[in-house]
Coordinates of all heavy atoms in Angstrom, one line a residue:
E1 N 0.8 -1.2 0.0 CA 0.0 0.0 0.0 C 0.9 1.3 0.0 O 0.6 2.2 -0.7 CB -0.9 0.0 1.2 CG -2.1 -1.0 1.2 CD -1.6 -2.4 1.4 OE1 -0.4 -2.6 1.9 OE2 -2.3 -3.4 1.1
K2 N 1.9 1.3 0.8 CA 2.8 2.4 0.9 C 3.6 2.6 -0.4 O 3.7 3.8 -0.9 CB 3.8 2.2 2.0 CG 4.6 3.5 2.3 CD 3.8 4.7 2.7 CE 4.7 5.9 3.1 NZ 3.9 7.0 3.5
L3 N 4.0 1.5 -1.0 CA 4.8 1.6 -2.3 C 3.9 2.1 -3.4 O 4.3 2.9 -4.2 CB 5.3 0.2 -2.6 CG 6.3 0.2 -3.8 CD1 7.6 1.0 -3.5 CD2 6.7 -1.2 -4.2
Y4 N 2.6 1.7 -3.4 CA 1.6 2.1 -4.4 C 1.4 3.6 -4.2 O 1.4 4.4 -5.2 CB 0.3 1.4 -4.2 CG -0.8 1.9 -5.0 CD1 -1.0 1.5 -6.3 CD2 -1.8 2.6 -4.4 CE1 -2.1 2.0 -7.0 CE2 -2.9 3.1 -5.1 CZ -3.0 2.8 -6.4 OH -4.1 3.2 -7.2
E5 N 1.3 4.1 -3.0 CA 1.1 5.5 -2.7 C 2.3 6.4 -3.2 O 2.1 7.4 -3.9 CB 0.9 5.8 -1.2 CG 0.7 7.2 -0.8 CD 0.7 7.4 0.7 OE1 0.7 6.4 1.4 OE2 0.8 8.6 1.1
L6 N 3.5 5.9 -3.0 CA 4.7 6.6 -3.4 C 4.8 6.6 -4.9 O 5.2 7.6 -5.5 CB 5.9 5.9 -2.8 CG 6.1 6.1 -1.3 CD1 7.2 5.2 -0.7 CD2 6.4 7.6 -0.9
A7 N 4.4 5.5 -5.6 CA 4.6 5.3 -7.0 C 3.8 6.4 -7.8 O 4.2 6.9 -8.8 CB 4.2 4.0 -7.5
W8 N 2.7 6.8 -7.2 CA 1.8 7.7 -7.9 C 1.9 9.1 -7.3 O 1.0 10.0 -7.5 CB 0.3 7.2 -7.8 CG 0.2 5.9 -8.6 CD1 0.4 4.6 -8.1 CD2 -0.1 5.8 -10.0 NE1 0.2 3.7 -9.1 CE2 0.0 4.4 -10.2 CE3 -0.3 6.7 -11.0 CZ2 -0.3 3.9 -11.5 CZ3 -0.5 6.2 -12.3 CH2 -0.5 4.8 -12.5
S9 N 3.0 9.3 -6.5 CA 3.2 10.7 -6.0 C 4.4 11.3 -6.5 O 4.6 12.6 -6.4 CB 3.3 10.5 -4.4 OG 4.6 9.9 -4.1
M10 N 5.2 10.6 -7.2 CA 6.5 11.2 -7.8 C 7.0 10.3 -8.9 O 6.7 9.1 -8.9 CB 7.5 11.3 -6.7 CG 8.1 10.1 -6.2 SD 9.2 10.3 -4.8 CE 8.0 10.5 -3.4
P11 N 7.8 10.8 -9.8 CA 8.4 10.0 -10.9 C 9.3 8.9 -10.3 O 9.8 9.0 -9.2 CB 9.2 11.0 -11.7 CG 8.6 12.3 -11.4 CD 8.1 12.2 -10.0
M12 N 9.4 7.8 -11.1 CA 10.2 6.7 -10.7 C 11.7 7.1 -10.4 O 12.3 6.5 -9.4 CB 10.2 5.6 -11.7 CG 8.9 4.8 -11.7 SD 8.8 3.6 -10.3 CE 10.0 2.4 -10.8
T13 N 12.2 8.0 -11.2 CA 13.6 8.4 -10.9 C 13.8 9.0 -9.6 O 14.8 8.8 -8.9 CB 14.1 9.3 -12.1 OG1 13.1 10.4 -12.2 CG2 14.2 8.6 -13.4
A14 N 12.8 9.9 -9.2 CA 12.8 10.6 -8.0 C 12.6 9.6 -6.8 O 13.3 9.7 -5.8 CB 11.8 11.7 -7.9
L15 N 11.7 8.7 -7.0 CA 11.5 7.7 -5.9 C 12.7 6.7 -5.7 O 13.1 6.4 -4.6 CB 10.2 6.8 -6.3 CG 9.8 5.7 -5.3 CD1 9.6 6.3 -3.9 CD2 8.6 5.0 -5.8
A16 N 13.3 6.3 -6.8 CA 14.5 5.5 -6.8 C 15.6 6.2 -6.0 O 16.3 5.6 -5.2 CB 14.9 5.1 -8.2
K17 N 15.8 7.5 -6.3 CA 16.8 8.3 -5.6 C 16.6 8.3 -4.1 O 17.5 8.2 -3.3 CB 16.9 9.7 -6.2 CG 18.0 10.5 -5.7 CD 18.1 11.8 -6.4 CE 19.3 12.7 -5.9 NZ 19.4 14.0 -6.6
K18 N 15.3 8.5 -3.7 CA 14.9 8.6 -2.3 C 15.1 7.3 -1.6 O 15.4 7.2 -0.4 CB 13.5 9.1 -2.2 CG 13.3 10.6 -2.5 CD 11.8 11.0 -2.4 CE 11.4 11.2 -1.0 NZ 12.1 12.4 -0.3
C19 N 14.9 6.2 -2.4 CA 15.1 4.9 -1.8 C 16.5 4.4 -1.8 O 16.9 3.4 -1.2 CB 14.2 3.9 -2.6 SG 12.4 4.0 -2.4
G20 N 17.4 5.1 -2.6 CA 18.8 4.7 -2.6 C 19.1 3.5 -3.5 O 20.0 2.8 -3.3
V21 N 18.2 3.3 -4.6 CA 18.4 2.2 -5.5 C 18.3 2.8 -6.9 O 17.9 3.9 -7.1 CB 17.4 1.1 -5.3 CG1 17.6 0.5 -3.9 CG2 16.0 1.6 -5.5
S22 N 18.6 1.9 -7.9 CA 18.5 2.4 -9.3 C 17.1 2.2 -9.7 O 16.3 1.5 -9.1 CB 19.4 1.5 -10.2 OG 19.0 0.1 -10.2
S23 N 16.7 2.9 -10.8 CA 15.3 2.8 -11.3 C 15.0 1.4 -11.8 O 13.9 1.0 -11.6 CB 15.2 3.9 -12.5 OG 15.3 5.2 -12.0
S24 N 15.9 0.7 -12.5 CA 15.7 -0.6 -13.0 C 15.5 -1.6 -11.8 O 14.6 -2.5 -11.9 CB 16.9 -1.1 -13.8 OG 18.1 -1.1 -13.1
Y25 N 16.2 -1.4 -10.7 CA 16.0 -2.3 -9.6 C 14.7 -2.0 -8.9 O 14.0 -3.0 -8.6 CB 17.1 -2.0 -8.5 CG 17.0 -2.9 -7.3 CD1 17.6 -4.2 -7.3 CD2 16.3 -2.5 -6.1 CE1 17.5 -5.0 -6.1 CE2 16.2 -3.3 -5.0 CZ 16.8 -4.5 -5.0 OH 16.7 -5.3 -3.9
L26 N 14.3 -0.8 -8.8 CA 13.0 -0.4 -8.2 C 11.9 -1.0 -9.1 O 10.9 -1.4 -8.6 CB 12.9 1.1 -8.1 CG 11.6 1.6 -7.4 CD1 11.6 1.1 -6.0 CD2 11.6 3.1 -7.3
A27 N 12.0 -1.0 -10.4 CA 11.0 -1.5 -11.3 C 10.8 -3.0 -11.0 O 9.7 -3.5 -11.0 CB 11.4 -1.3 -12.7
R28 N 11.9 -3.8 -10.7 CA 11.8 -5.2 -10.3 C 11.0 -5.4 -9.0 O 10.3 -6.3 -8.8 CB 13.1 -5.8 -10.3 CG 13.9 -5.9 -11.6 CD 15.0 -6.9 -11.6 NE 16.0 -6.6 -10.7 CZ 17.1 -5.9 -10.9 NH1 17.2 -5.2 -12.0 NH2 18.0 -5.7 -10.0
V29 N 11.2 -4.4 -8.1 CA 10.5 -4.5 -6.8 C 9.0 -4.3 -7.0 O 8.2 -5.1 -6.5 CB 11.0 -3.3 -5.9 CG1 10.1 -3.3 -4.6 CG2 12.5 -3.5 -5.5
F30 N 8.6 -3.4 -7.9 CA 7.2 -3.2 -8.2 C 6.6 -4.5 -8.9 O 5.5 -4.8 -8.6 CB 7.0 -2.0 -9.2 CG 7.0 -0.7 -8.5 CD1 8.1 0.0 -8.2 CD2 5.7 -0.2 -8.1 CE1 8.0 1.3 -7.5 CE2 5.7 1.0 -7.4 CZ 6.8 1.7 -7.1
T31 N 7.4 -5.1 -9.7 CA 6.9 -6.3 -10.4 C 6.7 -7.4 -9.4 O 5.7 -8.1 -9.4 CB 7.9 -6.8 -11.5 OG1 8.0 -5.7 -12.5 CG2 7.4 -8.0 -12.2
Q32 N 7.7 -7.6 -8.5 CA 7.6 -8.7 -7.5 C 6.5 -8.5 -6.5 O 5.9 -9.4 -6.0 CB 9.0 -8.8 -6.8 CG 10.1 -9.3 -7.6 CD 10.0 -10.8 -7.9 OE1 9.2 -11.5 -7.4 NE2 10.9 -11.3 -8.8

């Protein structure tokens, strides 16, 4: 639920930066 909220609050590049991971890695997190 929290990840879903964050995904629709900012671009993936910004979210990945705040999470400290790459955009491609974060995309795999969303898929899993």
